[in-house]
Amino acid sequence: VAPIKVVVTGASGKMSRETLAALTRDPAFDPAGAVSRATREEYLSLPNGAGLIPYSSDLGAMLTRVRPDVMVDFTNAGVALDYARTAFAHGVRPVIGTSALDDRQVAEIRSLAEQHRLGAIIAPNFALGAVLMQLMARTAARYYDHAEVIEFHHDGKKDSPSGTAVATARLMREARGRDFTRPESEREAVAGARAANHGGIGLHSVRLPGLVAHQEVIFGGPGETLTIRHDSIDRVSFMPGVLLAVRAVRNLDHLVVGLESILLEGAS
Ligand SMILES: NC(=O)c1ccc[n+]([C@@H]2O[C@H](COP(=O)([O-])OP(=O)(O)OC[C@H]3O[C@@H](n4cnc5c(N)ncnc54)[C@H](OP(=O)(O)O)[C@@H]3O)[C@@H](O)[C@H]2O)c1
């Protein structure tokens, strides 16, 4: 079977470099090209001396040149939609890990996928444990009236709260069918001390050097709390999910948001 050809965007970024390394390690994949905003180089050297691949600042030209099956995007919400438009126009399926896409951007990607009858995946978190954390939080949400989510990320993260925290809160509210109860402070000595409010769920964002990606979901009830915690201690934790999505997207003809449905399908 021919390896799956993949072009990676944002190639100078941390997640894109990790993705190129993961694609290089597995012979089922062919890291066929890389795109980086400002590069003037024509070739990029793969990790571990695995060779050179075509490199460009022009995604359209790259897709025409290498004709990949899939584009993996870990960039920035400002450019991910443009990159996805270019991918669809070239018949290439996007796997998007970029976080903080808004509803309008997701809706456009959904309609482009339908229009082109091409699969696409948007996954705010590719770590297996993070997906399981969300599923567990969804289950617990039906039994508690009070909940808070604390997410912890490295100090280079541009957006807050994290896409995973927002997706978790959304799943928890959907499972309950109503908002959580949020005790407000009578006096807030420092503005923002009670965190953002997502349907009664307090969303807290911690940013510190040394962290990668972590999240706690804490439920409170009479005389008890339940804490569900997940830690990505290395970016390599996202790679099995990325490779799973790259495989799965080839068999789709529409947009799937979140890795959970793909994971659960694989498990059944
Ligand atoms: N889904 C998940 O599991 C997961 C996990 C971790 C992170 N993320 C998300 O993935 C994204 C990237 O994270 P990261 O840690 O790799 O960030 P990063 O190291 O800052 O890399 C992002 C790269 O995107 C490109 N980029 C940024 N802004 C751009 C712009 N305005 N125009 C064009 N390209 C731009 C740049 O690459 P070039 O200059 O080479 O083009 C940059 O190096 C973020 O949204 C983050 O939240 C998702």
Side-chain angles (χ1 to χ4, degrees), residues 10-16 35-37 74-76 79 83 97-99 123-126 154 157-159 235 238:
S12 70
K14 295 180 281 294
M15 287 296 290
S16 303
V35 170
S36 181
R37 272 177 295 179
F74 284 103
T75 55
N76 166 293
V79 291
Y83 281 176
T98 301
S99 62
N125 203 319
F126 282 107
H154 58 93
K157 184 163 176 62
K158 303 250 173 11
D159 51 311
R235 288 186 179 81
F238 302 115

Short mmCIF file of all heavy atoms in Angstrom, two decimals, residues 10-16 35-37 74-76 79 83 97-99 123-126 154 157-159 235 238, ligand 1:
data_model
loop_
_atom_site.label_atom_id
_atom_site.label_comp_id
_atom_site.label_asym_id
_atom_site.label_seq_id
_atom_site.Cartn_x
_atom_site.Cartn_y
_atom_site.Cartn_z
N GLY A 10 2.65 25.66 8.65
CA GLY A 10 3.23 26.24 9.88
C GLY A 10 4.46 25.48 10.33
O GLY A 10 4.68 25.26 11.53
N ALA A 11 5.30 25.10 9.34
CA ALA A 11 6.35 24.10 9.60
C ALA A 11 7.40 24.54 10.61
O ALA A 11 8.13 23.71 11.12
CB ALA A 11 7.02 23.73 8.28
N SER A 12 7.46 25.84 10.91
CA SER A 12 8.43 26.26 11.92
C SER A 12 7.87 26.12 13.33
O SER A 12 8.60 26.30 14.31
CB SER A 12 8.84 27.73 11.68
OG SER A 12 7.74 28.56 11.99
N GLY A 13 6.59 25.80 13.45
CA GLY A 13 5.94 25.75 14.77
C GLY A 13 6.24 24.46 15.52
O GLY A 13 6.66 23.46 14.93
N LYS A 14 5.97 24.49 16.82
CA LYS A 14 6.29 23.35 17.69
C LYS A 14 5.50 22.09 17.30
O LYS A 14 6.05 21.01 17.18
CB LYS A 14 5.99 23.71 19.15
CG LYS A 14 6.89 24.82 19.69
CD LYS A 14 6.60 25.17 21.13
CE LYS A 14 5.38 26.05 21.33
NZ LYS A 14 5.46 27.41 20.81
N MET A 15 4.17 22.25 17.12
CA MET A 15 3.34 21.08 16.80
C MET A 15 3.63 20.55 15.40
O MET A 15 3.62 19.35 15.15
CB MET A 15 1.85 21.44 16.93
CG MET A 15 1.39 21.61 18.35
SD MET A 15 1.52 20.07 19.29
CE MET A 15 0.22 19.11 18.55
N SER A 16 3.89 21.47 14.46
CA SER A 16 4.16 21.03 13.08
C SER A 16 5.47 20.25 13.01
O SER A 16 5.58 19.25 12.29
CB SER A 16 4.19 22.24 12.16
OG SER A 16 2.97 22.93 12.27
N VAL A 35 5.11 23.81 4.52
CA VAL A 35 4.85 25.21 4.18
C VAL A 35 5.11 26.06 5.41
O VAL A 35 4.70 25.72 6.52
CB VAL A 35 3.38 25.37 3.72
CG1 VAL A 35 3.00 26.83 3.58
CG2 VAL A 35 3.16 24.63 2.40
N SER A 36 5.82 27.16 5.20
CA SER A 36 6.10 28.09 6.29
C SER A 36 6.00 29.49 5.73
O SER A 36 6.60 29.79 4.69
CB SER A 36 7.50 27.81 6.85
OG SER A 36 7.76 28.67 7.92
N ARG A 37 5.25 30.35 6.44
CA ARG A 37 4.96 31.71 5.97
C ARG A 37 6.08 32.41 5.23
O ARG A 37 5.89 32.93 4.16
CB ARG A 37 4.65 32.61 7.19
CG ARG A 37 3.28 32.63 7.63
CD ARG A 37 3.16 33.49 8.86
NE ARG A 37 3.89 32.93 9.99
CZ ARG A 37 3.96 33.51 11.18
NH1 ARG A 37 3.38 34.66 11.38
NH2 ARG A 37 4.62 32.94 12.17
N PHE A 74 -1.34 23.07 11.99
CA PHE A 74 -1.24 23.60 13.36
C PHE A 74 -0.68 25.00 13.22
O PHE A 74 0.54 25.19 13.20
CB PHE A 74 -0.26 22.77 14.20
CG PHE A 74 -0.80 21.45 14.66
CD1 PHE A 74 -0.41 20.28 14.04
CD2 PHE A 74 -1.68 21.38 15.73
CE1 PHE A 74 -0.89 19.06 14.46
CE2 PHE A 74 -2.17 20.16 16.17
CZ PHE A 74 -1.77 18.99 15.54
N THR A 75 -1.54 25.99 13.00
CA THR A 75 -1.04 27.35 12.83
C THR A 75 -1.74 28.29 13.80
O THR A 75 -1.49 28.22 15.01
CB THR A 75 -1.19 27.82 11.38
OG1 THR A 75 -2.56 27.69 10.98
CG2 THR A 75 -0.31 27.03 10.43
N ASN A 76 -2.64 29.06 13.27
CA ASN A 76 -3.22 30.16 14.01
C ASN A 76 -4.62 30.34 13.43
O ASN A 76 -4.81 30.18 12.22
CB ASN A 76 -2.27 31.34 13.71
CG ASN A 76 -2.81 32.66 14.08
OD1 ASN A 76 -3.77 33.12 13.50
ND2 ASN A 76 -2.15 33.28 15.04
N VAL A 79 -5.26 32.11 10.11
CA VAL A 79 -4.86 31.60 8.79
C VAL A 79 -5.38 30.20 8.49
O VAL A 79 -5.42 29.78 7.32
CB VAL A 79 -3.32 31.57 8.62
CG1 VAL A 79 -2.75 32.95 8.54
CG2 VAL A 79 -2.65 30.76 9.69
N TYR A 83 -5.98 28.45 4.75
CA TYR A 83 -5.26 27.24 4.37
C TYR A 83 -6.25 26.12 4.01
O TYR A 83 -6.05 25.37 3.05
CB TYR A 83 -4.33 26.80 5.51
CG TYR A 83 -3.02 27.57 5.62
CD1 TYR A 83 -2.14 27.32 6.67
CD2 TYR A 83 -2.66 28.55 4.70
CE1 TYR A 83 -0.93 28.01 6.79
CE2 TYR A 83 -1.46 29.24 4.82
CZ TYR A 83 -0.60 28.97 5.86
OH TYR A 83 0.59 29.65 5.97
N GLY A 97 -5.54 21.02 13.60
CA GLY A 97 -5.36 20.98 15.06
C GLY A 97 -5.33 22.36 15.66
O GLY A 97 -5.32 22.52 16.88
N THR A 98 -5.29 23.38 14.81
CA THR A 98 -5.26 24.77 15.28
C THR A 98 -6.46 25.02 16.18
O THR A 98 -7.58 24.66 15.82
CB THR A 98 -5.33 25.71 14.05
OG1 THR A 98 -4.21 25.42 13.24
CG2 THR A 98 -5.31 27.17 14.47
N SER A 99 -6.23 25.66 17.31
CA SER A 99 -7.35 25.87 18.23
C SER A 99 -7.96 27.25 18.05
O SER A 99 -7.42 28.09 17.31
CB SER A 99 -6.90 25.64 19.67
OG SER A 99 -5.90 26.55 20.02
N ALA A 123 -9.78 19.01 15.24
CA ALA A 123 -9.69 18.42 16.59
C ALA A 123 -8.95 19.37 17.51
O ALA A 123 -7.75 19.57 17.36
CB ALA A 123 -8.98 17.07 16.52
N PRO A 124 -9.67 19.96 18.48
CA PRO A 124 -9.00 20.88 19.40
C PRO A 124 -7.98 20.18 20.29
O PRO A 124 -7.11 20.83 20.85
CB PRO A 124 -10.13 21.45 20.25
CG PRO A 124 -11.40 20.94 19.69
CD PRO A 124 -11.10 19.83 18.74
N ASN A 125 -8.08 18.86 20.42
CA ASN A 125 -7.10 18.13 21.24
C ASN A 125 -6.93 16.71 20.70
O ASN A 125 -7.89 15.95 20.64
CB ASN A 125 -7.55 18.09 22.70
CG ASN A 125 -6.37 17.87 23.61
OD1 ASN A 125 -5.49 17.07 23.30
ND2 ASN A 125 -6.33 18.57 24.71
N PHE A 126 -5.71 16.38 20.31
CA PHE A 126 -5.45 15.06 19.74
C PHE A 126 -4.99 14.04 20.78
O PHE A 126 -4.74 12.90 20.43
CB PHE A 126 -4.36 15.17 18.66
CG PHE A 126 -4.87 15.71 17.36
CD1 PHE A 126 -4.56 17.00 16.96
CD2 PHE A 126 -5.66 14.94 16.53
CE1 PHE A 126 -5.02 17.51 15.75
CE2 PHE A 126 -6.13 15.43 15.32
CZ PHE A 126 -5.81 16.72 14.93
N HIS A 154 1.59 26.18 28.53
CA HIS A 154 2.87 26.88 28.42
C HIS A 154 2.63 28.37 28.14
O HIS A 154 1.58 28.76 27.60
CB HIS A 154 3.70 26.25 27.28
CG HIS A 154 3.00 26.28 25.96
ND1 HIS A 154 3.18 27.30 25.06
CD2 HIS A 154 2.10 25.43 25.40
CE1 HIS A 154 2.43 27.07 23.99
NE2 HIS A 154 1.76 25.94 24.17
N LYS A 157 1.29 30.02 24.66
CA LYS A 157 -0.04 29.82 24.07
C LYS A 157 -0.72 31.16 23.84
O LYS A 157 -0.79 32.00 24.73
CB LYS A 157 -0.90 28.93 24.98
CG LYS A 157 -2.25 28.61 24.37
CD LYS A 157 -2.91 27.43 25.04
CE LYS A 157 -4.30 27.16 24.51
NZ LYS A 157 -4.31 26.82 23.08
N LYS A 158 -1.26 31.33 22.60
CA LYS A 158 -1.77 32.65 22.21
C LYS A 158 -3.20 32.89 22.67
O LYS A 158 -3.60 34.02 22.90
CB LYS A 158 -1.71 32.80 20.68
CG LYS A 158 -0.32 32.58 20.09
CD LYS A 158 0.26 33.87 19.58
CE LYS A 158 1.69 33.84 19.11
NZ LYS A 158 2.38 32.60 18.93
N ASP A 159 -4.01 31.81 22.73
CA ASP A 159 -5.44 32.00 23.01
C ASP A 159 -5.80 31.49 24.40
O ASP A 159 -5.14 30.61 24.94
CB ASP A 159 -6.28 31.28 21.94
CG ASP A 159 -5.87 29.83 21.75
OD1 ASP A 159 -4.66 29.58 21.60
OD2 ASP A 159 -6.73 28.93 21.79
N ARG A 235 4.67 17.02 23.80
CA ARG A 235 3.84 17.16 22.59
C ARG A 235 3.69 15.85 21.83
O ARG A 235 2.81 15.71 20.99
CB ARG A 235 4.42 18.24 21.67
CG ARG A 235 4.21 19.61 22.22
CD ARG A 235 4.62 20.73 21.32
NE ARG A 235 4.33 21.99 22.02
CZ ARG A 235 5.10 22.53 22.95
NH1 ARG A 235 6.24 21.96 23.27
NH2 ARG A 235 4.73 23.63 23.56
N PHE A 238 0.26 14.07 21.45
CA PHE A 238 -0.76 14.39 20.44
C PHE A 238 -0.60 13.56 19.17
O PHE A 238 -1.50 13.52 18.33
CB PHE A 238 -0.68 15.88 20.08
CG PHE A 238 -0.85 16.81 21.25
CD1 PHE A 238 0.18 17.62 21.68
CD2 PHE A 238 -2.06 16.86 21.93
CE1 PHE A 238 0.02 18.48 22.77
CE2 PHE A 238 -2.23 17.71 23.02
CZ PHE A 238 -1.19 18.51 23.44
N1 LIG B 1 -5.20 20.01 18.58
C1 LIG B 1 -4.24 19.77 19.46
O1 LIG B 1 -4.13 18.68 20.03
C2 LIG B 1 -3.25 20.86 19.77
C3 LIG B 1 -2.16 20.62 20.60
C4 LIG B 1 -1.24 21.66 20.80
C5 LIG B 1 -1.43 22.88 20.19
N2 LIG B 1 -2.53 23.08 19.41
C6 LIG B 1 -2.77 24.35 18.67
O2 LIG B 1 -1.97 24.30 17.50
C7 LIG B 1 -1.62 25.64 17.12
C8 LIG B 1 -0.11 25.75 16.99
O3 LIG B 1 0.49 25.50 18.26
P1 LIG B 1 2.09 25.52 18.43
O4 LIG B 1 2.34 25.30 19.88
O5 LIG B 1 2.72 24.64 17.43
O6 LIG B 1 2.37 27.06 18.09
P2 LIG B 1 3.67 27.72 17.45
O7 LIG B 1 4.89 26.98 17.87
O8 LIG B 1 3.55 29.17 17.73
O9 LIG B 1 3.50 27.46 15.87
C9 LIG B 1 2.50 28.03 15.11
C10 LIG B 1 3.02 28.22 13.68
O10 LIG B 1 1.93 28.65 12.88
C11 LIG B 1 2.41 29.52 11.91
N3 LIG B 1 1.69 30.78 12.09
C12 LIG B 1 1.41 31.43 13.21
N4 LIG B 1 0.75 32.58 12.97
C13 LIG B 1 0.64 32.64 11.68
C14 LIG B 1 0.07 33.59 10.82
N5 LIG B 1 -0.51 34.71 11.28
N6 LIG B 1 0.13 33.32 9.53
C15 LIG B 1 0.66 32.17 9.08
N7 LIG B 1 1.20 31.23 9.86
C16 LIG B 1 1.19 31.48 11.13
C17 LIG B 1 3.89 29.76 12.15
O11 LIG B 1 4.62 28.89 11.32
P3 LIG B 1 5.33 29.41 9.96
O12 LIG B 1 5.95 30.74 10.28
O13 LIG B 1 6.32 28.32 9.72
O14 LIG B 1 4.29 29.50 8.91
C18 LIG B 1 4.09 29.30 13.57
O15 LIG B 1 5.37 28.79 13.80
C19 LIG B 1 -2.23 26.55 18.20
O16 LIG B 1 -3.51 26.97 17.76
C20 LIG B 1 -2.38 25.62 19.39
O17 LIG B 1 -3.38 26.03 20.29
C21 LIG B 1 -3.43 22.10 19.19
#
